[in-house]
Amino acid sequence: MNNYNFETRQLFPFCDKWENGMQGELWYVWEEDAICIVNGDERQPIAKGYGAALLANKNVLYSWGFNPIDFYKAYNYELEKANFPGRYPFQETRRILYDWFFTLQQLEPIKNDFSDYLDYAQRIQVGIIMRDYYNPYKIVDIKDKLKWRSHLICDIAGHKELELIFATQPELEDLSATPTIWTKAMDAKYNTSKAQVYGFMAALINYAIYSYWVEHWQTYNFANPAFLELFIESWEHREPIKEKANLAELQFLTDVSILDFCQAYMDTFAAITRQVWERTPTIPIECWDGDNFYSYMYACECESRTEFLKSELYQNLTPAQQKMIYGYSLRFTEFLTKRYPVSAHAARLRLRTHS
């Protein structure tokens, strides 16, 4: 049983000293899904929607065991019962975001709220809940993390502009067989991108970038209207927030054992890699037929490692990062030879496709 209260009620008595220059009583008005300053017949909304409901229930925000998911469900249940025109419970992601932005704009002049409902501490608490709600970096399964199409904006030595590092994933439609890491100038077209590494090491770098965002997301302040405006712009256009990162901060320790990480890569990509090679006319049948597939994959991984050592991205990594990636790559090829029928024929198969 929860203690959430979505009823219309007075939150604070009449006051003529509101910092935003208004005067009146502070009410939570469920019919308007808002917190309002009420003065006679005038109602001035200063907080709307889901954020207003959280602020109005500040007594539970700090309670032991408060569960934002339960609160969200309860809020939507009340919306469903109220049957407000044009409101669709559990389908209001955009409205929640814009209502919270409206709320922050209205509350920005209020720095020291004596009602204890609207001050910055309350906004920070609700902002944390909003941040968790919109957090795209909540994937648990390692295979789903490997399939993520990550990005990083950073400096690359020798380039005046910021560079975008990004990942693509295998696609049957364009005969892309493996994950690939690319770089391009931030404002350049994607057809100018340069491939840096493919295969297992690309998946590892993609994973490291994803892990970077898992940590970095916790630094975002969803109680700051200036940041929220920036986030809304990227969210609306489904683009990354244009924020510079430090390439040297990438960490390559995985949250599973190296062997489990190697197996996750095979479980995630081996099948589609084989399908792409089957459809690629320049790759002979013997390269992907039966167990030859694993030998050919082994040869491709060795070649990818050699090419990566000469890449621009590799040269911009720290010595510690270079050592980690190279070590993971060696472990993966060792893993292939121990777990799958890899033969010496692999190198000859690879050479044949390049002849």
Side-chain angles (χ1 to χ4, degrees), residues 13-166:
F14 182 90
C15 180
D16 59 2
K17 294 186 174 68
W18 295 103
E19 286 187 52
N20 59 1
M22 301 181 68
Q23 61 180 11
E25 303 170 354
L26 190 68
W27 280 73
Y28 179 56
V29 184
W30 173 246
E31 293 75 16
E32 297 186 20
D33 195 19
I35 292 176
C36 303
I37 292 181
V38 178
N39 189 5
D41 294 332
E42 295 183 5
R43 292 181 179 179
Q44 177 61 46
I46 58 173
K48 288 183 179 180
Y50 180 55
L54 285 164
L55 290 169
N57 282 273
K58 72 178 183 68
N59 60 304
V60 300
L61 293 184
Y62 301 97
S63 63
W64 179 259
F66 171 69
N67 188 327
I69 297 176
D70 288 344
F71 186 92
Y72 178 73
K73 290 179 179 178
Y75 170 76
N76 276 278
Y77 175 71
E78 294 299 324
L79 277 182
E80 191 171 22
K81 285 199 306 181
N83 196 28
F84 294 141
R87 301 298 296 272
Y88 305 96
F90 296 104
Q91 298 178 26
E92 298 209 307
T93 302
R94 189 176 187 276
R95 184 194 293 268
I96 289 173
L97 191 59
Y98 275 85
D99 281 349
W100 183 235
F101 183 55
F102 167 87
T103 299
L104 293 178
Q105 288 180 307
Q106 295 297 309
L107 299 184
E108 184 66 11
I110 300 178
K111 306 299 182 184
N112 301 294
D113 168 49
F114 41 81
S115 77
D116 201 27
Y117 278 92
L118 309 174
D119 64 17
Y120 195 63
Q122 310 301 328
R123 283 172 254 169
I124 285 286
Q125 191 68 15
V126 174
I128 292 172
I129 294 171
M130 293 292 183
R131 186 179 67 197
D132 290 343
Y133 179 84
Y134 289 95
N135 184 2
Y137 306 104
K138 296 187 286 188
I139 298 173
V140 175
D141 190 275
I142 186 69
K143 298 174 188 177
D144 291 331
K145 292 178 182 179
L146 290 176
K147 290 185 287 188
W148 184 266
R149 298 173 184 266
S150 57
H151 72 277
L152 202 71
I153 300 169
C154 61
D155 287 317
I156 295 290
H159 293 264
K160 294 181 180 179
E161 300 179 36
L162 288 173
E163 291 279 308
L164 176 67
I165 301 173
F166 65 98

Side-chain angles (χ1 to χ4, degrees), residues 281-301:
T282 57
I283 299 179
I285 293 176
E286 63 177 317
C287 294
W288 48 261
D289 188 38
D291 289 344
N292 284 349
F293 166 76
Y294 302 106
S295 297
Y296 189 62
M297 174 180 278
Y298 175 90
C300 290
E301 287 295 332

Side-chain angles (χ1 to χ4, degrees), residues 29 200 308:
V29 184
F200 177 80
F308 184 49

